[in-house]
Amino acid sequence: MAQQQQVAYYHHSTLYPPPTTNDSVLLARLQAQVEFYFSPQNLAKDVFLSSLLEQHENAVPLETIASFPKVRQLHAVGRLGMIGVPTSQMPPADPTFLAKALEESRVVKVSGQWIHLVTTQGTATT
């Protein structure tokens, strides 16, 4: 019996990635999304995230990032199979799974319940 290929699709102007049981693909997608949030280009215009970094000495609570809409969407569709559910109704990403996604990041490091922005020298700022 032939396997049906799963593809990304749009629902109410939102692109949903195909559901996947391959955690390595989802972990890579989550890492890329979080690294985008912490990129200099994004931080230059993201007042909310920049202010959190300033308030917490270049760190943001892991649960805060887990609740960002795109992170919730990636996790809910890719890990929970919540296809067609509005992003606002999706639960936050599992913080433990999100921390696992960031283990190999050169942009951020997770320490306890915090995500730390890594300096250009490759060390987490504290």
Side-chain angles (χ1 to χ4, degrees), residues 1-5:
M1 183 177 278
Q3 265 190 318
Q4 187 176 9
Q5 183 180 4

Side-chain angles (χ1 to χ4, degrees), residues 9 16 20 25 29 49 55 66-67 74 76 89 91 112 114:
Y9 68 95
Y16 287 90
T20 178
V25 171
R29 288 178 178 171
L49 189 54
Q55 290 172 15
S67 70
L74 285 169
Q89 295 178 12
W114 293 87

Side-chain angles (χ1 to χ4, degrees), residues 42-58:
N42 186 63
L43 290 174
K45 60 184 177 183
D46 189 331
V47 176
F48 175 71
L49 189 54
S50 295
S51 68
L52 286 176
L53 286 167
E54 189 175 309
Q55 290 172 15
H56 301 289
E57 299 178 11
N58 281 338

Side-chain angles (χ1 to χ4, degrees), residues 38 43 48-54 56-65 68 109 111 113-117:
F38 286 87
L43 290 174
F48 175 71
L49 189 54
S50 295
S51 68
L52 286 176
L53 286 167
E54 189 175 309
H56 301 289
E57 299 178 11
N58 281 338
V60 176
L62 188 60
E63 288 185 359
T64 299
I65 301 300
F68 279 16
K109 294 294 176 200
S111 176
Q113 295 300 311
W114 293 87
I115 299 176
H116 298 268
L117 181 61

